[in-house]
Amino acid sequence: MMDMNTQLRLTGMATGLDTDAIIKNLGRVNTIRVDAVKRDRQTAVWRQETLRSMISTVQNFQKSNLNTANPASNFRSPNAFAKFTFNLAMNGLKTDDARNSAASKLSVTANGDLKNFNQSVQAVAQLATRDTYSGESIKGMQGITGSEFDIDKLANLGMSATFNMSIDGVSRTVRFTSAEINDILKNNESMKAADPAKYATLTRDDLDNTYIFQSNQYMTIGDYLQTIPGRTIFAVANEILELGGDEHMAAIANPTDEQLQKFSDHLNLLNGSGGYNRFELDPNTTPEAAKAGQAEAFVNALNTKITELYGKDYQNIASLTDGKLMFNKTASNISISSAAVSMEPVLEALGFPGGGASSASVNNKTIGELFAGSGIFSGGDKAEIAINGELITLNKTDTISTMLSKVNGSKAGVTLSYNSANSSFSLTSKEDGSAGNIQPIGGNAAKLFSAMGLGDASSGTLDASQRKEGQNLIAVINGVEFTRPGNTFTYEGMTYTFHDTFNTKDEDSDGSADRDANGKIVLANPSDAIKIEVGKNTSEMISSIKAFVDEYNSIVDQLNDLISSKKNRDYQPLSDDERKAMSEEEIKLYEDKAKLGILGNDSDLRKLLDNMRQAIYTKVEGVGISMADIGITTGSWQDKGRLVIEETKLNSALENKFDEVVALFTKNSSISDTDMPNRNKRISESGIANRLNDILNDAVRTTAAGYGSKGYLIERAGMQNDGSVNENVISKQIGKYDDRIQALLERWYRQEDSYYAMFARMETAMAKMQSQQSSLAQLMGGG
């Protein structure tokens, strides 16, 4: 289709006629037809917008006053009337101390179903707890643990030992000079006997003229003597004699006098006096013990350095475990690193190759690394653990965080936690009470929990000594013993939350309340019961009911305004040309008047209003009072269905007929809300709030499931963010208007083209006539 405004036409050249104006006038009848359809379309749009606004108002009323998600304001539930005051007293006293004491034991709330406004809690024998296993701190999970600490390598570096340390972001440099290292290694307690000079023995075998030098440990004496496995080197005055032997023993067979003299001089030099046997080692000291003593001496010196650098609160940061050096401080992050490339051998000797380590790196370790000794992954890279019958698959590459997520996100009903401050695990049931206790655990799960410090892999069970078994709440209320899995429960409208045990005896100290011959709990003092007095806060109830009535009246007012408004025929929707001639403010003022009456006497809105009124004044079956009986009426006829409250009467009803008032609003019908054939019976049996909800749902529900259709206002006008936004009666009507407008325009475009063609032919004929006339004039003039 070609738009006339997109064509370039040169008209009236021969005739001098304003062709465009003539054709526009010829098409005015068609324009009038299009504008009429557009006005009808705009009226439909306004009608749809107004209905959608009404739908939104009704739905907001439901959300505020009839919604189960808001129990305190849901008038379909007794909770909307649960405006109470609670007075707790203990030992028969109502003093502040007695109230505070009672409040430390329990707290209460109540809903509108409350049956007994005066209650008594005689005792709480035990609180409900969750089954919990708490593990001890696991070595290697916290701090930094290196590989084997090689004290010989550190000693043989022959240089200072320097590295960087950071504790919780505070960095310091730890430095040992070579002289400090030598002093530490030579003077530790494990290398000394009673006589500080006794380091080794030199004996002579007269049978084969052999002198035996024997050291029971790795040792270095000055620059003269070194003993290492398999060799002993004796050096004096730059002359080196390498002597064969096993372990730490060297034999000089048939020594020359010169050799003996050199050896003697050497020993005398170290000893300060003559005699070969001055260097003796305590026979109880083994080579391994001596080496361990050297390592321990270094660690002690290292802790002294760290304390000097960080202060007295940082003691014993370093320790030795199974020959491995560990740096650790509870709940702190520690890291060590090389002070320089040349100092990397120092960290290697300490057991930290690769330039250092950080305690934060444990979070990046896999469970395959952390629990390598558990045997859980002996069958491959994956393993299944069973908790409470639920199978959970773990991978060797899972981190602690991943493992926790898998366990806690499963249906096992437990919470596995890791305390990074002390490197311990705990396993807790997600349910309170004995029914939620963790079932016996075996197989891979037992292996894993054993490695976590929670279980015994050999017996396939969790460690009972680390368990606090889940137990139930046991309380005596109004003389009746209650057993519940949780510390909060509701009974006959009262919700109790217990905080502590009280008023029971445990003579045998077995952790359970004593019971008499009949099995009843023995009270410590019968007069120590907690008295609960519940008062009605009628002023708050009335305020809540008034808010409900005000919102109800607002809907009634809007419906009345729409239904009773009259259409002013002088104000029709503006045409495009009319809108161009007006300002925005003028358009708004005009259209506000044009919108009046578009839903005047609308049958759907009238139906909604009538049903709402009927819901209020029709009696509820099975309830002995009506809305009028509690002081809520529809007023005079001029009020058009608005509700009026007589507060004195309402207050009296709440005080004296509380249960009936609650039932009047909240009573439920035995008929399902989807049982449409029996809808009238359901309405008659339902309380006022439930009736209103059904009536409003019939108008604005967004689902058709079980009902056959959506709400009749939704079906008619639709709503945003719902499938009905385009699938509704008015939208389809608007679509038909669009089709009609398009058809009229296309018809006019074709007619317009024919008009231009007709005028073009006339222009051509006129131009031809003018040409002939000019030629004739020339001939006559020429004659």
Side-chain angles (χ1 to χ4, degrees), residues 372 374-384 394 396 444 447:
S374 67
I376 182 175
F377 294 110
S378 59
D381 294 335
K382 294 180 181 290
E384 281 189 336
L394 300 178
K396 289 180 70 173
N444 277 334
K447 294 178 183 178

Side-chain angles (χ1 to χ4, degrees), residues 55-71 73-75 551 693 696 719:
I55 290 169
S56 179
T57 297
V58 170
Q59 290 178 335
N60 287 336
F61 175 81
Q62 289 181 295
K63 290 177 183 178
S64 298
N65 301 282
L66 306 170
N67 188 2
T68 56
N70 301 313
S73 62
N74 176 23
F75 277 85
E551 288 193 53
N693 193 58
L696 298 180
M719 64 176 293

Side-chain angles (χ1 to χ4, degrees), residues 101-316:
S101 180
S104 70
K105 308 300 181 185
L106 67 90
S107 55
V108 295
T109 58
N111 60 38
D113 288 331
L114 183 64
K115 304 302 180 186
N116 185 354
F117 284 77
N118 293 280
Q119 303 197 35
S120 175
V121 178
Q122 284 78 43
V124 177
Q126 65 183 34
L127 293 176
T129 60
R130 295 183 179 184
D131 200 15
T132 300
Y133 291 83
S134 300
E136 298 178 351
S137 181
I138 304 173
K139 292 181 179 179
M141 292 286 289
Q142 190 177 1
I144 312 169
T145 302
S147 54
E148 195 72 26
F149 175 30
D150 194 336
I151 188 66
D152 288 333
K153 182 180 289 187
L154 185 66
N156 293 331
L157 288 176
M159 62 179 184
S160 64
T162 303
F163 61 90
N164 294 329
M165 170 174 276
S166 174
I167 303 179
D168 296 326
V170 179
S171 299
R172 297 287 184 268
T173 299
V174 181
R175 182 179 290 106
F176 287 90
T177 66
S178 58
E180 286 177 315
I181 294 175
N182 285 333
D183 186 59
I184 292 167
L185 299 181
K186 291 175 183 177
N187 294 288
N188 71 84
E189 293 298 324
S190 66
M191 294 180 64
K192 297 179 181 179
D195 183 348
K198 293 179 181 179
Y199 284 89
T201 53
L202 181 66
T203 59
R204 182 179 184 279
D205 187 341
D206 293 330
L207 292 177
D208 58 5
N209 192 27
T210 299
Y211 288 82
I212 304 298
F213 172 78
Q214 184 171 2
S215 167
N216 292 330
Q217 60 191 329
Y218 293 86
M219 63 182 294
T220 299
I221 302 177
D223 296 325
Y224 300 96
L225 185 66
Q226 290 183 339
T227 63
I228 59 178
R231 12 188 337 229
T232 296
I233 298 176
F234 172 49
V236 177
N238 296 323
E239 184 177 351
I240 299 176
L241 297 175
E242 187 168 333
L243 309 172
D246 296 327
E247 294 300 327
H248 307 292
M249 183 183 295
I252 306 175
N254 299 315
T256 64
D257 291 341
E258 183 180 4
Q259 288 176 324
L260 289 175
Q261 185 60 50
K262 287 180 178 180
F263 212 105
S264 176
D265 292 342
H266 172 61
L267 294 177
N268 287 333
L269 176 64
L270 292 175
N271 186 39
S273 62
Y276 294 143
N277 292 319
R278 289 297 300 260
F279 290 85
E280 293 181 357
L281 189 68
D282 185 341
N284 294 322
T285 302
T286 64
E288 290 75 16
K291 184 177 180 181
Q294 288 179 318
E296 193 65 44
F298 177 79
V299 171
N300 291 336
L302 178 57
N303 276 322
T304 300
K305 290 271 188 184
I306 294 173
T307 302
E308 290 173 353
L309 292 170
Y310 284 92
K312 65 180 181 180
D313 295 326
Y314 294 81
Q315 298 187 35
N316 301 317

